Amino acid sequence: MSNRPEVSLAQRKRQLVATELTEAALQLLALKGFDAVTVDEIATTAGVSKRTFFRYFASKEDVVVQFLADMGADMRAGLAARPPGERPSEALLHAVSVPLTLCGEHAERALPVVRLILRTPALLARFLEHQAEWREELTEELAARLGRDPDADLYPRLAVGMALAAFDAVLRRWSEGEHAESPASPADAGALIGEAFAMLAPALDSVTP
């Protein structure tokens, strides 16, 4: 019993260091470009040693990968939190809106990172890998909500695929929002995903649970 507060304090400290490293790495990578930033620079900016960096991340790419993993975790948690009986289109809209809302609320920091991911081939490849993982996780979650077997029923996988296609399209449009040739802006992410789901909803809700 007496060790629990110490463990909790250690965990909080570890999380704080991880957060500082992540923030420093993402901002440096977004500012200078993926290839131009070294682990030494990230560690120095975060005020830790290079050895400490490698306690948390195997490489600078892993920092971005964790950012992507967090997006997926937020979507699955968002879907799991939706009320039972809610229409699939509503549940999936709210789920994929979670990371988009966070990005919109912290656009100054998130926008450069999203652009970095979409414009760096190695990171874009990892992004696509994560989307495949999200598809499996969200399919399992949606199937459980609807009482369907994802291995025997096409609907859960198709529905999630449509939702993630909308998420990807909106994220890319949002990342281009400050360009003069695009009418979108970072604040439009919520409106854009709503517009996308307005088009998808009839198909998503046409199959009754």
Side-chain angles (χ1 to χ4, degrees):
M1 294 291 292
S2 61
N3 289 332
R4 288 184 180 177
E6 294 179 14
V7 171
S8 179
L9 179 61
Q11 289 174 338
R12 288 198 298 270
K13 182 178 179 181
R14 182 176 177 81
Q15 183 58 50
L16 179 61
V17 174
T19 299
E20 291 176 348
L21 275 171
T22 299
E23 186 70 18
L26 291 177
Q27 296 311 308
L28 275 174
L29 292 170
L31 178 65
K32 295 186 174 183
F34 184 74
D35 293 329
V37 176
T38 66
V39 170
D40 287 304
E41 285 182 275
I42 295 171
T44 299
T45 301
V48 300
S49 67
K50 187 175 179 180
R51 178 178 296 181
T52 297
F53 175 91
F54 284 118
R55 289 198 192 111
Y56 292 85
F57 301 104
S59 67
K60 60 184 181 181
E61 182 179 287
D62 280 352
V63 181
V64 183
V65 170
Q66 185 58 51
F67 175 82
L68 296 174
D70 290 343
M71 273 190 170
D74 287 343
M75 281 192 279
R76 182 162 192 172
L79 181 57
R82 300 309 301 167
E86 186 174 52
R87 287 180 298 145
S89 64
E90 286 293 323
L92 288 168
L93 168 60
H94 285 285
V96 300
S97 292
V98 175
L100 288 173
T101 298
L102 289 173
C103 284
E105 290 174 348
H106 304 283
E108 185 176 341
R109 290 179 295 170
L111 188 58
V113 175
V114 171
R115 286 175 173 165
L116 172 76
I117 292 168
L118 296 179
R119 298 173 185 179
T120 306
L123 298 180
L124 178 58
R126 298 302 296 271
F127 180 51
L128 296 176
E129 287 176 12
H130 272 275
Q131 283 200 39
E133 294 174 8
W134 301 346
R135 186 175 296 108
E136 294 304 312
E137 294 170 356
L138 291 173
T139 294
E140 290 177 6
E141 190 66 45
L142 182 63
R145 285 175 57 86
L146 300 177
R148 294 172 178 255
D149 180 355
D151 294 323
D153 190 333
L154 283 174
Y155 177 80
R157 192 173 303 278
L158 285 172
V160 168
M162 291 167 67
L164 288 178
F167 169 83
D168 185 71
V170 168
L171 193 69
R172 290 172 186 272
R173 176 74 175 275
W174 179 78
S175 75
E176 298 167 354
E178 289 187 348
H179 292 300
E181 66 269 24
S182 173
S185 70
D188 290 332
L192 285 170
I193 196 65
E195 180 183 336
F197 268 79
M199 292 183 275
L200 297 179
L204 288 171
D205 298 333
S206 64
V207 180
T208 56

